[in-house]
Amino acid sequence: MSESDPPVVLIVEDEPDVAETYKLWLQGDYEVRMGQNGDEGLELLDESVDVVLLDRMMPGLSGDEVLSEIRKRDLGCRVAMVTAVEPDFDILEMGFDAYLSKPIRSEQLHDTVTNLLERSEYDSMLQEYYALVEKQATLEATKSSAELAESDQYATLTEEIAEMREGLDDTLGGIEDDDDFIATLRGLSNGEEE
Amino acid sequence: MYDLSSVLDFDALTEVRPGSSILVSGPAMTGKEKLVYDILADGARDGDGAVVVTTSDKAASVVEEFRDRVPDLQGAQLGVVDCRGEGGADPELIEGVSVHQVSSPGDLTGIGIGITKALEGLHDSGRERGRLALVSLSTMLTYTDKKTVFKFCHVLSSRLDAAGYIGVFTIDSGAHDTQTIQVIKQAFDGLIDIRDAEGGGREARVLGLANEPTDWKKI
């Protein structure tokens, strides 16, 4: 996600009216793509997609099948499942990052997309944080404490690490809720940042 | 605040802020595991919840350990996340303790789900304080790289912070290179270092929880 381009949301939904409504709500803030079924959705999916809104019940490929294909391709996008009924199973164990049950309101849709984008932001900050920590550890392992005390590079690094740590605590409010917690861990296991 | 000084007598451990995560580091056979179990048991005696994430002991032995240490352990006071990946040999509930099986010490999502369920169980029974132990990071490091383990520790610490819990994580300092230990340390608020003392016995020091590192002291 670069600074200038709006994030990309892919809607995979077989009912055209419903898909159009989501698009109307989102198009001011995001670049919106629409696929009418699972196959079309997968065709429109590439590295630039940030969030997928995936209808679970569709003719042809089901939402679950599309999800497993997305995970297999190891794309960094976040996937929200859209269902007709509130699921009575553990959505997180199925590998979705969030779910929305129909009918969806505009505000709810915006909140979900925003939260999913924040999680991606959190992931990339964590990645950056790790890079700094590793650099610091290398210096600590190779220099004496006297050398470290005199090193400007070390002082700057230490400062950057403290800042980054605070930034992480602010994004998502740290990791306050269970969904954010599990989804972030799944991101680590999937090796999305590689 | 959490007072750990009755388990390990250091001033720096009398007022540990809720949300703190502490790394317990030392060579093999220096009692790291016993120490973290003692820290959890000490809290459980005062009504704190306890969550054990284990990569080596089976859930039934963890429960037994706790029953020995805390004879009046309440139901729903202990949750165990068993990551040995040996499958469903253990029942879901061992004498009222909730147990979650995870397929392997490298299955971070599974471990997260297990921890979430354990925390939920404790929360539902009205416990607002609790302590989590993870034994051990060294096993996790054999399943996944240090970058992933570092991030896992950071994310888990952040979750514990939101819950107001404290976490104690063990690592075998002799099993990894200096750089790995240095990196992993950075994911924690504090460090308890243990080593064999000259002339027998063990000594420990505490870093990061007070302004200055403490001196080594016999334990």
Side-chain angles (χ1 to χ4, degrees):
Chain A
M1 185 171 38
S2 81
E3 294 286 332
S4 52
D5 299 324
V8 178
V9 178
L10 170 63
I11 300 166
V12 185
E13 165 66 65
D14 60 311
E15 294 172 60
D17 295 354
V18 176
E20 274 303 327
T21 309
Y22 299 163
K23 185 181 179 184
L24 275 176
W25 288 338
L26 295 174
Q27 66 188 3
D29 300 313
Y30 306 103
E31 182 192 325
V32 179
R33 296 182 196 172
M34 294 201 289
Q36 278 203 10
N37 54 48
D39 286 311
E40 259 188 58
L42 287 174
E43 265 169 47
L44 292 166
L45 191 67
D46 57 32
E47 307 247 308
S48 61
V49 174
D50 297 292
V51 172
V52 182
L53 298 176
L54 186 57
D55 191 35
R56 183 142 190 252
M57 299 289 275
M58 291 179 294
L61 279 185
S62 74
D64 296 0
E65 288 167 320
V66 176
L67 175 72
S68 85
E69 181 59 30
I70 293 174
R71 296 299 183 217
K72 213 189 297 171
R73 287 200 209 166
D74 211 10
L75 296 162
C77 61
R78 298 285 177 183
V79 185
M81 179 178 84
V82 181
T83 58
V85 285
E86 190 148 323
D88 60 353
F89 42 82
D90 199 329
I91 203 76
L92 295 166
E93 287 181 46
M94 295 186 60
F96 291 97
D97 297 303
Y99 80 88
L100 286 155
S101 50
K102 293 179 178 178
I104 299 168
R105 284 170 295 109
S106 166
E107 193 191 336
Q108 204 184 358
L109 184 60
H110 273 280
D111 286 351
T112 300
V113 173
T114 308
N115 177 264
L116 292 177
L117 290 170
E118 265 208 352
R119 284 186 199 164
S120 301
E121 170 75 15
Y122 186 93
D123 284 350
S124 44
M125 284 171 75
L126 194 54
Q127 177 68 11
E128 230 177 293
Y129 181 53
Y130 175 78
L132 293 174
V133 165
E134 194 174 35
K135 242 189 247 176
Q136 189 188 41
T138 309
L139 287 179
E140 284 169 350
T142 51
K143 288 184 189 301
S144 69
S145 41
E147 283 172 321
L148 290 177
E150 282 185 7
S151 160
D152 288 341
Q153 189 196 3
Y154 186 73
T156 314
L157 258 181
T158 308
E159 215 170 282
E160 281 173 347
I161 286 172
E163 272 172 33
M164 188 60 82
R165 195 169 177 147
E166 253 176 61
L168 276 164
D169 288 345
D170 292 342
T171 311
L172 292 171
I175 297 279
E176 275 187 9
D177 82 31
D178 291 335
D179 293 1
D180 288 335
F181 176 53
I182 306 289
T184 307
L185 292 182
R186 180 179 306 110
L188 303 186
S189 314
N190 288 348
E192 283 175 2
E193 294 91 358
E194 293 302 322
Chain B
M1 292 292 173
Y2 291 84
D3 183 357
L4 312 185
S5 63
S6 55
V7 180
L8 200 60
D9 184 21
F10 280 97
D11 285 344
L13 294 177
T14 51
E15 288 195 329
V16 177
R17 191 185 58 80
S20 302
S21 289
I22 303 170
L23 183 65
V24 177
S25 163
M29 310 297 287
T30 44
K32 300 182 292 294
E33 189 169 314
K34 179 180 177 303
L35 176 67
V36 299
Y37 282 174
D38 284 344
I39 288 174
L40 263 59
D42 191 52
R45 278 189 285 269
D46 293 334
D48 285 3
V51 178
V52 176
V53 182
T54 168
T55 61
S56 53
D57 296 332
K58 56 179 187 191
S61 359
V62 174
V63 174
E64 206 175 308
E65 285 265 343
F66 271 82
R67 293 219 183 271
D68 283 350
R69 283 161 210 245
V70 191
D72 58 349
L73 187 78
Q74 308 283 306
Q77 194 177 358
L78 171 65
V80 182
V81 182
D82 179 348
C83 321
R84 293 168 311 136
E86 298 193 0
D90 293 307
E92 280 281 296
L93 288 171
I94 299 173
E95 298 167 57
V97 175
S98 72
V99 173
H100 308 279
Q101 300 284 350
V102 180
S103 65
S104 114
D107 176 8
L108 305 185
T109 312
I111 296 175
I113 290 171
I115 291 172
T116 298
K117 288 186 175 162
L119 291 177
E120 245 171 43
L122 295 174
H123 184 79
D124 289 349
S125 64
R127 298 189 193 277
E128 283 171 13
R129 287 167 51 96
R131 308 172 183 206
L132 175 143
L134 188 149
V135 184
S136 77
L137 291 176
S138 292
T139 315
M140 289 182 72
L141 279 162
T142 63
Y143 282 80
T144 172
D145 58 288
K146 69 173 185 291
K147 174 162 88 175
T148 308
V149 173
F150 170 84
K151 289 180 181 176
F152 170 80
C153 292
H154 182 87
V155 171
L156 177 51
S157 303
S158 183
R159 181 71 192 87
L160 293 177
D161 194 11
Y165 274 43
I166 58 164
V168 278
F169 300 62
T170 66
I171 194 164
D172 178 349
S173 56
H176 314 284
D177 58 45
T178 324
Q179 230 231 346
T180 302
I181 301 280
Q182 288 290 8
V183 164
I184 299 296
K185 267 185 200 172
Q186 284 291 338
F188 294 89
D189 304 294
L191 175 72
I192 297 175
D193 241 344
I194 304 180
R195 68 179 182 192
D196 290 315
E198 269 177 54
R202 285 169 198 136
E203 50 189 14
R205 62 175 177 168
V206 179
L207 295 92
L209 296 173
N211 288 335
E212 293 287 320
T214 68
D215 289 327
W216 288 97
K217 181 157 114 181
K218 279 259 189 190
I219 57 170

